[in-house]
């Protein structure tokens, strides 16, 4: 992982809806960090800094340095609550991770060779069934994304989770824990094109 992110935070003791409302008015986001054999800690982060980090896709699938009053902890972003229509983050959840303990995280899929795939060349339309997958790995092995090569995907074929190449030290949780071989991408002829061919 070549990119690194530092989130600066301050511990907070003033809890409740009223306190959270005051923090948001002051340009801050109420948040919590939990897990890692330590008690949950209520914190605040600056909204403008968090919003800027969220614009980078890698922020969602990286181990972050959470600096709370000068002390740094390794965390991942676990959940976000956004305002329904304003460009505002209402609350954030961070989870502590340990370098020697397995963790679970959502990792985005990056699709390549869509337009040059066998099915696309025949006029097929690509449908993405999922755009991210949950992985299990050590924090040091967490990938920024997983590449999905569609070059050999033909018409009326589905690419499944088991067809993806997991990076070293990484396993797909749906397969390992639930034996669920998710469909990832499918290519079909558009309905109109099929009908025209039949006519």
């Amino acid at each position: 992982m070549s990119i690194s992110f530092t989130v600066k935070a301050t511990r907070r003791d003033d809890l409740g809806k009223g306190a959270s409302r005051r923090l948001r008015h002051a340009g801050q986001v109420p948040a919590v960090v939990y897990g890692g054999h330590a008690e949950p800690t209520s914190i605040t982060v600056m909204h403008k800094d968090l919003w800027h980090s969220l614009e980078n896709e890698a922020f969602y699938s990286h181990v972050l340095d959470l600096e709370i009053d000068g002390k740094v902890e390794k965390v991942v972003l676990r959940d976000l609550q956004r305002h329904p229509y304003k460009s505002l983050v209402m609350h954030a959840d961070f989870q502590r991770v340990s370098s020697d303990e397995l963790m679970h995280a959502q990792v985005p899929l990056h699709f390549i060779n869509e337009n040059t795939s066998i099915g696309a060349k025949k006029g097929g339309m690509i449908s993405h069934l999922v755009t991210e997958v949950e992985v299990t790995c050590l924090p040091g092995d967490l990938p920024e994304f997983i590449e999905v090569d569609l070059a050999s995907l033909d018409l009326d074929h589905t690419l499944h989770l088991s067809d993806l190449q997991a990076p070293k030290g990484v396993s797909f949780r749906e397969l390992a824990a639930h034996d669920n071989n998710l469909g990832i991408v499918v290519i079909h002829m558009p309905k109109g094109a099929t009908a025209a061919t039949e006519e």
Side-chain angles (χ1 to χ4, degrees):
M1 295 180 291
S2 56
I3 305 176
S4 62
F5 296 95
T6 299
V7 179
K8 293 192 175 184
T10 305
R11 189 185 299 268
R12 64 186 171 103
D13 298 313
D14 192 7
L15 308 177
K17 290 184 177 180
S20 295
R21 195 178 303 115
R22 287 191 294 274
L23 286 170
R24 294 185 191 108
H25 280 305
Q28 297 178 309
V29 179
V32 64
V33 56
Y34 58 86
H37 313 292
E39 291 296 316
T41 302
S42 295
I43 57 175
T44 61
V45 297
M46 293 302 297
H47 187 277
K48 63 180 178 62
D49 296 337
L50 180 60
W51 189 262
H52 178 71
S53 295
L54 291 172
E55 293 176 344
N56 190 328
E57 180 193 51
F59 187 79
Y60 297 85
S61 58
H62 261 65
V63 176
L64 316 171
D65 289 328
L66 180 64
E67 184 181 325
I68 305 175
D69 298 328
K71 181 182 176 182
V72 176
E73 299 183 69
K74 297 291 186 181
V75 302
V76 291
L77 178 64
R78 186 54 72 192
D79 191 37
L80 277 178
Q81 295 177 22
R82 298 176 184 265
H83 194 280
Y85 56 88
K86 294 181 181 178
S87 297
L88 290 174
V89 176
M90 306 296 287
H91 193 274
D93 288 5
F94 298 94
Q95 183 178 348
R96 300 182 185 97
V97 296
S98 176
S99 61
D100 58 355
E101 293 184 6
L102 290 173
M103 58 171 286
H104 307 297
Q106 295 286 342
V107 175
L109 300 176
H110 283 190
F111 301 94
I112 63 171
N113 296 320
E114 292 192 32
N115 297 330
T116 57
S117 66
I118 295 173
K121 287 180 178 179
K122 295 178 181 179
M125 181 178 294
I126 296 174
S127 296
H128 298 134
L129 306 178
V130 297
T131 56
E132 61 181 19
V133 293
E134 187 171 12
V135 302
T136 301
C137 62
L138 292 173
D141 294 327
L142 181 63
E144 181 179 328
F145 60 86
I146 293 174
E147 193 171 83
V148 183
D149 191 349
L150 304 181
S152 61
L153 194 61
D154 205 345
L155 277 176
D156 298 322
H157 284 71
T158 302
L159 191 76
H160 289 89
L161 187 58
S162 60
D163 298 318
L164 304 189
Q165 184 67 44
K168 184 180 179 181
V170 177
S171 63
F172 297 122
R173 195 176 185 202
E174 286 294 329
L175 279 178
H178 309 296
D179 197 28
N180 182 12
N181 195 13
L182 291 172
I184 303 297
V185 179
V186 63
I187 300 184
H188 289 304
M189 285 295 290
K191 289 182 180 179
T194 302
T197 303
E198 290 173 354
E199 288 174 5

